[in-house]
Structure formats: C-alpha cells, structure tokens
C-alpha cells in the first residue's frame, strides 16, 4: 500500500531513530527502524540479557467507552471480556463471520466502563470501522492517534523502571496501571512480544521522545528495531498477524483456542461459532505448529512443508512455513507454520523444500525459548 | 596480492594464477547484517555470469550470490559452514565464498575496479 518514501507515516520518535542511526524500512505504511548500528543479533541478545527499548507507536490504540463496552466488543471476539477485571489486560482475536481472524489485539479494563485497545498497525483501518459498526447507543470508540507506544522489554526492564514509576514493581503479568514516569503521564501494561518480562507504555506523542531518551539513558538499555522484535517473538512462539494468522485461519487451526472464553464456548455467541465448534468437535484439517529445521539453515515464510519422502516425489505440499528465522538465543533456525493435522504431533519428522532441496525438520513445542514473564 | 575487481551485485573477485576467488563486499556484509548461514556451490559446477550459485542468510533474510564470471567451480570455503560470521569479520579475506576457474581470464577486465565500485555504491544510496 504505502511503500514509497513520500507517503510513509512517521512515529513521534522518527528523529530519535535517525539520531540513533536506525535503518529505516517501510512497515505497515510507516517508516520504522528495522535495526540500529549494533545489529539484529546484538539487539536480540541484549533484550534477553538486560533491557531494550522498541518503538511500537505504529500500532493502533483506542478506547472503548461506556458501560456496555465489554458486551459490545464480545460481538466480534470469542474472548470473555465480562470477566476482565479493572487493572487487567488480555489477548484476544477479532473474528469474521466465517471464523477467520480479522486481527489479534490486546484489551485492558481501565475501570469505569473504559476499555483500552491495542491493534496491529496493518489492521487498524479494518478493525476500528468494524468495531464502530457493532456499537450500541451509549458505547463510543475513541481512536488515540495522538498517543505513542513504547515497549521496554527484558529481565532488567522492570527493575530499571521501578525507581521512576513505583507502581510498576507490583504490577502482575498482564496488569495495567495509569501512572507517571518522571512526571510524564503513562498507561503501563506488564506485557510484551518478546517472551521476556517487561512493559508496554502508552504515552502522549509530544512526550514520547523525552520518555524514550529517559529510558535509553538507564544503565545497559539499548534501542532495538523490528528485526529483533521479530526474532524475539518467533523464539517465544508468538504469532505475527499477516504471516501466521489471517482472515482464512481460524482460532482452532491457529492453536489459539485458549483465547476463547469458557462461557463463550457454552453460548457459541460469537462470529464463526459454527465453524469453530465443528473444528473443535472433529479436528481442523490443518494446525499451526512450531518447526525446528535441522542444522543451521533457516526456512523462511512460504517454504513448502512435506511429509518425509514427500519433497522428492514432487507432489503437493501438505503445509507451509508462515514465519521462519535464525533464532539468536536458540543459536539455530526456528519457524512456525501450518501442517496437516496428522503431521502435527510434537516430534513428527518433516521435509522443508528450500531452494529445491529437502531440508529435514521436526514439529516442536513452542515457545522455543522459555517465557520468563513476571508471576 | 592481486587487485580486487567488483560486480554490481556486490561480489568481489581476486584472480591469482588462473584461479578466481569470489566473495561478497564489505558494503554487502554491512547491509546484510549478522550472517548465520551460507549455502555454497559444489565443485565441478559450470556457471555463467549472473547465475545464482550461493546463498547468504542473515537473521532477517536470504540473499543470492551470483557468479561474476563464466567458468567452473573449483572449491567452496568449508570454514564458512562452521563459522559463517567470517563473512562479516573478514569479507575480502577468510570470508571468501568459492574459487573458480574462469573460462576466459580476460573477462575479469570488464568488472569494476575499487574506485569504480565505491562510486557505484555511492550512486545507489
């Protein structure tokens, strides 16, 4: 869509990225740093060892206001939002009528009938009108384009941040708090996309650069770009919308059944419930699984997946890699993708057709690198 | 040590005693970032200029490496299998990709010298 330099949007941290030597690339219509001079490998490892700061201001932020907000949003998602307590956040999926995934999102209950939403940059133009279309009188959607979003991730992130924002130290995993960091008003959630402990911080755009500089000045903190964000999330087994999930994949196929609330699975009152119920009863034709190639060669997105011996026969692939990289912490390649259900058990041998050669691989449990979230 | 010659695809070539050693340039390794895997051609393979005959993979992406000259692959750098990061640390030295016997030694004269290559890189940025 917007892939030329003239039409790319910038985040409030654009000039800071340039000052830091960020290599800017187009992503979802924005000019974003894919890496800084240290490189993806160093940024990835620094996130797992200490703390790194990511600009994720391209993501869509919005508030849903009104006492009926949770019930209204449940018309589009199978998540149980009525049991989401004030001060808590959860991950969910927006579904279409066919049970396909329109987007994945985070939703936090800020209390007083306020829900705070974070959706994907590439999907906000789809999501927000969709949400708007199901709202009853008394519930309003307020997009927050005037807010930036920073991810501060790694085992040292919370310890480094706590002296500046005491409320953070006691925040549980998936807890949210409206507080201040050095006088800057922020909305902090203890969550992220790296598999590590850390926070995501929503901040007014005009104060985002000051906050980012403050965090980068803390001992050992490095800036990290989209490249490290991608390798970190893939090692953590987390989906990327557009790669691993899209409007054709269902929550059952995507192995995201855990996002469907228990009450919702009794009432079957969400879009695509018929397909999802049938897939739960009979098993889906394909399943998203973790895949570990043997050796050091990565298998990238769209690599065909065959049963053992299948690649040489030249027949149709029974699956496809949807994300694949070299995992810096794993010190080896890792991937995820869809395979026919009968090949989805952990340990099943596979063949990946990479540049015309069969690369041996196995189905493997995710995360590839254990999550280290706060308890 | 003989002079390096360069292609627009960011390979370098060094001709010594009728054998051409080929690798990727310092500019190319910087652009790629941390190299994690290299797929190299088999000895005996006959290549034409521009044939994709090796692959270099960074964390983020895979890129083709092209034959700079017509000829026959003599050997590949086995050290890169164990330590692909040599491509980053010594791109024009220990990080070489393969050696080949050019079909026509004079074809190397058509490649760029270092000054012309650096001007070419500047014109691309």
């Amino acid at each position: 869509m917007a892939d030329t330099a003239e039409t790319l949007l910038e985040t409030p941290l654009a000039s800071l990225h340039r000052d830091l030597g960020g290599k800017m690339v187009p992503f979802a219509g924005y000019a974003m740093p894919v890496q800084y001079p240290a490189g993806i490998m160093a940024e990835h490892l620094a996130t797992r060892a200490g703390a790194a700061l990511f600009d994720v201001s391209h993501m869509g932020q919005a508030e849903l206001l009104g006492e009926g907000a949770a019930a209204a949003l449940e018309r589009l998602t199978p998540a149980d939002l009525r049991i989401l307590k004030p001060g808590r956040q959860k991950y969910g999926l927006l579904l279409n009528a066919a049970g396909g995934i329109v987007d994945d999102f985070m939703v936090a209950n800020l209390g007083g009938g306020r829900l705070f939403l974070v959706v994907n940059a590439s999907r906000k133009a789809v999501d927000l009108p969709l949400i708007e279309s199901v709202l009853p009188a008394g519930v309003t959607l307020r997009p927050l384009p005037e807010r930036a979003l920073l991810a501060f991730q790694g085992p040292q992130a919370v310890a480094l941040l706590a002296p500046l924002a005491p409320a953070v130290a006691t925040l549980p995993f998936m807890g949210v708090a409206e507080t201040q960091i050095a006088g800057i008003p922020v909305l902090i959630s203890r969550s992220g996309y790296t598999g590590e402990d850390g926070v995501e911080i929503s901040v007014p755009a005009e104060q985002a650069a000051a906050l980012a500089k403050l965090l980068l000045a803390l001992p050992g903190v490095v800036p990290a770009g989209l490249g490290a964000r991608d390798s970190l999330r893939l090692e953590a087994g987390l989906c990327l919308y557009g790669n691993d999930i899209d409007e054709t994949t269902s929550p059952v196929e995507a192995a995201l059944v855990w996002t469907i609330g228990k009450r919702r699975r009794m009432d079957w009152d969400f879009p695509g419930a018929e397909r999802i119920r049938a897939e739960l009863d009979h098993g889906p034709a394909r399943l998203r699984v973790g895949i570990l190639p043997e050796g050091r060669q990565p298998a990238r997105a769209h690599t065909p997946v065959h049963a053992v011996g299948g690649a040489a026969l030249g027949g149709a692939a029974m699956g496809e890699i949807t994300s694949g990289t070299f995992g810096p912490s794993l010190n080896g390649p890792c991937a995820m993708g869809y395979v026919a259900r009968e090949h989805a058990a952990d340990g099943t041998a596979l063949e990946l057709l990479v540049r015309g050669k069969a690369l041996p691989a196995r189905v493997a449990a995710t995360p590839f690198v254990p999550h280290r979230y706060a308890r | 040590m003989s002079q390096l010659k360069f292609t627009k695809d960011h390979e370098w070539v060094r001709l010594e005693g009728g054998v051409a050693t080929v690798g990727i340039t310092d500019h190319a390794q910087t652009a790629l970032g941390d190299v994690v895997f290299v797929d190299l051609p088999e000895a005996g393979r006959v290549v034409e200029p521009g044939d994709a005959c090796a692959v270099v993979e960074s964390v983020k992406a895979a890129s083709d490496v092209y034959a700079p000259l017509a000829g026959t692959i003599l050997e590949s750098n086995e050290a890169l299998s164990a330590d692909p990061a040599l491509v980053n640390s010594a791109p024009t030295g220990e990080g070489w990709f393969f050696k080949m016997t050019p079909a026509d030694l004079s074809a190397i004269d058509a490649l760029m010298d270092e000054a012309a290559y650096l001007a070419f890189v500047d014109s691309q940025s």
Side-chain angles (χ1 to χ4, degrees):
Chain A
M1 200 164 55
D3 264 6
T4 58
E6 300 84 72
T7 57
L8 286 180
L9 300 169
E10 289 190 331
T11 76
L13 298 188
S15 83
L16 179 62
H17 295 316
R18 280 191 289 272
D19 292 347
L20 292 168
K23 182 175 168 187
M24 307 305 284
V25 300
F27 183 83
Y30 286 78
M32 297 299 292
V34 65
Q35 63 168 83
Y36 299 89
I40 295 173
M41 187 86 81
E43 293 166 21
H44 176 117
L45 296 173
T47 309
R48 295 250 187 267
L53 184 70
F54 303 76
D55 178 16
V56 290
S57 302
H58 56 313
M59 300 195 75
Q61 302 178 66
E63 275 185 340
L64 203 52
L65 305 166
E67 286 306 324
L73 194 54
E74 281 194 357
R75 295 181 61 183
L76 296 174
T77 177
D80 188 341
L81 300 181
R82 293 183 207 179
I83 59 166
L84 185 63
K85 293 184 177 127
R88 303 293 299 175
Q89 175 175 256
K90 72 164 55 176
Y91 172 80
L93 303 173
L94 298 177
L95 300 183
N96 63 30
I101 300 172
V102 174
D103 200 3
D104 58 349
F105 69 106
M106 288 290 217
V107 52
N109 184 349
L110 303 184
R114 290 165 68 214
L115 295 182
F116 172 73
L117 307 176
V118 179
V119 304
N120 280 296
S122 62
R123 300 299 287 174
K124 58 189 172 187
V126 173
D127 298 345
L128 298 184
L130 178 65
I131 294 168
E132 191 86 61
S133 73
V134 300
L135 299 183
V139 179
T140 54
L141 180 68
R142 192 161 79 87
L144 300 169
E146 71 285 0
R147 294 186 76 84
L149 193 64
L150 306 183
F152 189 46
Q153 298 282 300
Q156 296 303 315
V158 166
L160 288 167
L161 189 56
L164 301 171
V168 173
T170 52
L171 207 58
F173 180 60
M174 295 298 256
V176 296
E178 291 177 283
T179 182
Q180 295 194 338
I181 299 174
I184 300 171
V186 292
L187 172 61
I188 298 185
S189 77
R190 195 148 186 183
S191 64
Y193 195 45
T194 61
E196 298 296 328
D197 189 13
V199 294
E200 293 199 347
I201 308 168
S202 174
V203 56
E206 65 274 14
Q207 286 163 293
L211 177 59
K213 286 175 188 168
L214 193 75
L215 297 175
L216 287 169
L218 295 171
V221 176
V222 301
L226 292 184
R229 186 170 158 82
D230 190 56
S231 55
L232 287 158
R233 70 91 192 167
L234 188 43
E235 282 185 343
L238 303 172
C239 290
L240 172 62
Y241 192 88
N243 275 47
D244 310 306
I245 48 177
D246 60 30
E247 293 212 30
T248 71
T249 57
S250 76
V252 184
E253 293 173 328
L256 295 171
V257 173
W258 61 272
T259 68
I260 305 176
K262 286 201 183 90
R263 168 174 58 84
R264 310 304 304 278
R265 279 175 70 171
M266 290 191 285
D267 295 346
W268 303 103
D269 58 346
F270 50 83
E274 198 175 322
R275 168 183 175 185
I276 288 165
R277 191 171 189 172
E279 286 180 350
L280 285 170
D281 287 348
H282 308 296
R286 57 176 180 170
L287 264 173
R288 182 179 64 89
V289 295
I291 295 171
L292 288 176
E294 285 179 20
R296 290 182 66 85
Q297 181 172 19
R300 309 286 177 176
H302 308 301
T303 297
V305 179
H306 292 265
V308 172
L313 297 175
M318 62 83 180
E320 187 181 87
I321 301 282
T322 51
S323 289
T325 192
F326 186 89
S329 301
L330 205 58
N331 192 28
C334 58
M336 61 171 83
Y338 287 83
V339 296
R341 189 174 81 243
E342 57 272 28
H343 298 284
D346 286 350
T348 305
L350 304 171
E351 285 180 357
L352 313 178
L353 195 59
V354 179
R355 294 186 285 274
K357 284 186 238 169
L359 175 64
R362 274 181 198 283
V363 176
T366 58
F368 301 119
V369 172
H371 293 161
R372 296 192 293 178
Y373 300 135
R375 300 240 171 140
Chain B
M1 191 172 283
S2 89
Q3 192 197 7
L4 296 187
K5 295 287 227 169
F6 298 87
T7 73
K8 288 187 174 179
D9 297 314
H10 307 286
E11 290 93 16
W12 57 262
V13 186
R14 180 186 291 122
L15 189 62
E16 286 168 309
V19 173
T21 304
V22 179
I24 66 167
T25 65
D26 186 54
H27 169 78
Q29 71 79 17
T30 302
L32 286 170
D34 305 293
V35 172
V36 297
F37 179 80
V38 176
D39 195 15
L40 295 166
E42 285 178 17
R45 180 168 159 193
V46 176
V47 294
E48 291 298 320
D51 280 1
C53 60
V55 176
V56 56
E57 302 231 18
S58 64
V59 175
K60 189 80 187 143
S63 307
D64 285 314
V65 177
Y66 302 97
L69 304 164
T72 307
I73 303 292
L74 210 54
E75 64 169 311
S76 287
N77 184 1
E78 290 307 321
L80 294 186
S81 304
D83 188 7
L86 287 172
V87 177
N88 296 116
S89 59
T92 55
E94 287 178 81
W96 61 277
F97 276 54
F98 54 87
K99 294 180 192 284
M100 62 185 294
T101 314
D104 172 10
L105 289 178
S106 68
I108 197 167
D109 297 337
L111 301 180
M112 290 179 277
D113 63 15
E114 183 166 18
Y117 174 68
L118 292 176
F120 168 73
V121 168
D122 271 350
S123 74
Q124 301 288 297
S125 61

